[in-house]
Amino acid sequence: MAEAVFRHLTSPSSLTTSTNLNLSTIDSCGTGAYHVSSAPDPRTTSTLIDHGITTYRHAARKIRPEDFRDFDYILVMDRENLADVEALRRRMKVTGEGEAYERARVRLFGDFGGTVGEEVGDPYYGARDGFEVAYEQMVRFSRGLIESIAQGGTS
């Protein structure tokens, strides 16, 4: 959902002409391999459609070491994901792979939503209203990230 919302909000039709984000790649992944190659949960898709995001297509994948090299930011939804991603980076450093993979800044996505440390509750095991709450968070966090990038921040 986060990827779909961010893509939507950074599309040329959504940005003002004065906003130049210089984005090249937007992607999403998980820290576990639970749903690799699966499409988003139908409740995610229906929530996105309810908000006018109708073209999102995605197949789940697990985070890879190359992601630390290929992306400027790796944004996680909660502290458990943050610990998992930081542990992966530490393992890469121990094996000698780390230096080439220092590019990405790892942050909680919620840090961009107005409350530092805000986490996204996983709506998967709940009712559909949890997906609406997650959607609202994704919009708020995405707007905060867009503003931060546009101002040259996000360190």
Side-chain angles (χ1 to χ4, degrees), residues 10 20 25 30 62 64 78 80-81 89 93 109 117 135 144 146 154:
T10 58
N20 181 10
T25 304
K62 185 177 177 183
R64 318 174 289 244
D78 59 38
E80 184 178 348
N81 291 156
R89 180 176 274 181
K93 286 181 181 180
F109 197 19
Y135 174 83
I146 290 166
T154 67

Side-chain angles (χ1 to χ4, degrees), residues 10-41:
T10 58
S11 68
S13 62
S14 296
L15 293 173
T16 64
T17 56
S18 63
T19 306
N20 181 10
L21 298 179
N22 195 25
L23 301 174
S24 60
T25 304
I26 301 168
D27 196 6
S28 62
C29 63
T31 56
Y34 316 115
H35 303 286
V36 168
S37 299
S38 296
D41 184 293

